[in-house]
Amino acid sequence: VAAVLQDTALQQRRRFISDVLETVGRGNARAFYLPSLIEGLTVADEGTVGRVWTHINTPNGRLSKLGKGAVLSFNGTSDYLSCPDAAGLSFAEPATMSFFSIANVVDTATNRSLFTKSNTGETEYVWNIGTADQLKLFLQDTLGVVTITRTADPTAPQGSWASYGTSYDGSGGATAADGASHYVNGSLVASTSVNSGAYTLMSDKPAAGIIGAQNAGTSNFFNGTIAMVLLVAANLSAAQHA
């Protein structure tokens, strides 16, 4: 009984964070945003020591409780978080990478950014729900002009809570997009590649990491509610996504 009484919300949160990091490999986490009901304009990353997220708009009034956790709403026009550029956010091939998020996406005919590292001439990757409501990964090469994509064939769940995941095996080169896979609610979904023979590999560019927007926080704002966002330096398996 004493152990149950001492099992606080903070302890539950810490166990959840530990379980997530164990699942993906503790050394692989590169960004891990997990909303808290008491967070302010700046938030410490849960996966990388010293990484700090900054809200462009106050989170006051946008945070709410969901189960034993918290979620953050995004208005689709101006809300996002950013963290400064760092080497750990870049994945020049043969580096591998994966994204994971739990979100409730509003059904709109717009690009809804989940996690991006992009600006004019500085884009490395964009992970979003596209205008056709499909989960999508964009990778841009060292020249900043050649983009390849991998797009989920089915439309993403919208108006309800779902988990979204994407992994990339770091293959690089002319068929790099073939090395990406999409997952919805822990299950692999069919997807389509658009490759380019001119694509080589990504490179480390100075754009910030952003949750909920693209192009240095000027466009393609996320519309909906997010419960977590995770960036991992690994090609996560289907079992890890699940």
Side-chain angles (χ1 to χ4, degrees):
V1 174
V4 172
L5 293 176
Q6 293 171 10
D7 191 20
T8 66
L10 179 59
Q11 290 171 325
Q12 292 168 358
R13 178 184 173 90
R14 286 174 175 167
R15 278 203 307 275
F16 176 76
I17 292 168
S18 179
D19 288 345
V20 170
L21 295 178
E22 286 296 327
T23 298
V24 303
R26 287 186 174 272
N28 293 329
R30 293 293 180 267
F32 185 5
Y33 170 66
L34 188 68
S36 165
L37 292 174
I38 60 172
E39 70 187 52
L41 282 174
T42 59
V43 187
D45 188 88
E46 300 293 355
T48 302
V49 175
R51 179 153 295 139
V52 175
W53 291 96
T54 300
H55 288 275
I56 189 65
N57 296 323
T58 178
N60 293 342
R62 297 168 51 210
L63 290 159
S64 58
K65 187 173 176 60
L66 181 69
K68 294 182 178 180
V71 298
L72 177 71
S73 65
F74 292 73
N75 60 15
T77 58
S78 62
D79 293 332
Y80 68 90
L81 299 93
S82 68
C83 66
D85 174 44
L89 298 175
S90 294
F91 300 91
E93 293 90 342
T96 59
M97 65 190 302
S98 295
F99 303 84
F100 184 86
S101 181
I102 298 173
N104 189 329
V105 181
V106 171
D107 186 358
T108 63
T110 60
N111 287 311
R112 285 142 291 175
S113 300
L114 288 162
F115 196 107
T116 71
K117 195 170 186 294
S118 76
N119 197 2
T120 303
E122 299 175 0
T123 296
E124 296 178 45
Y125 49 82
V126 172
W127 186 53
N128 70 13
I129 306 293
T131 57
D133 300 330
Q134 295 155 304
L135 186 62
K136 197 165 190 174
L137 176 66
F138 298 77
L139 304 178
Q140 194 166 91
D141 78 346
T142 55
L143 299 177
V145 294
V146 179
T147 301
I148 59 171
T149 62
R150 184 85 177 191
T151 304
D153 293 344
T155 57
Q158 294 159 95
S160 61
W161 286 102
S163 71
Y164 301 93
T166 297
S167 287
Y168 173 51
D169 66 6
S171 51
T175 59
D178 294 350
S181 302
H182 293 303
Y183 299 82
V184 175
N185 290 329
S187 296
L188 178 69
V189 297
S191 55
T192 301
S193 300
V194 176
N195 283 297
S196 170
Y199 180 87
T200 54
L201 72 164
M202 290 181 283
S203 63
D204 187 348
K205 299 184 178 119
I210 294 182
I211 293 171
Q214 191 182 336
N215 297 325
T218 63
S219 65
N220 297 335
F221 296 96
F222 182 79
N223 194 332
T225 311
I226 289 178
M228 68 174 286
V229 177
L230 180 67
L231 174 67
V232 180
N235 181 22
L236 296 182
S237 67
Q240 287 171 303
H241 278 283

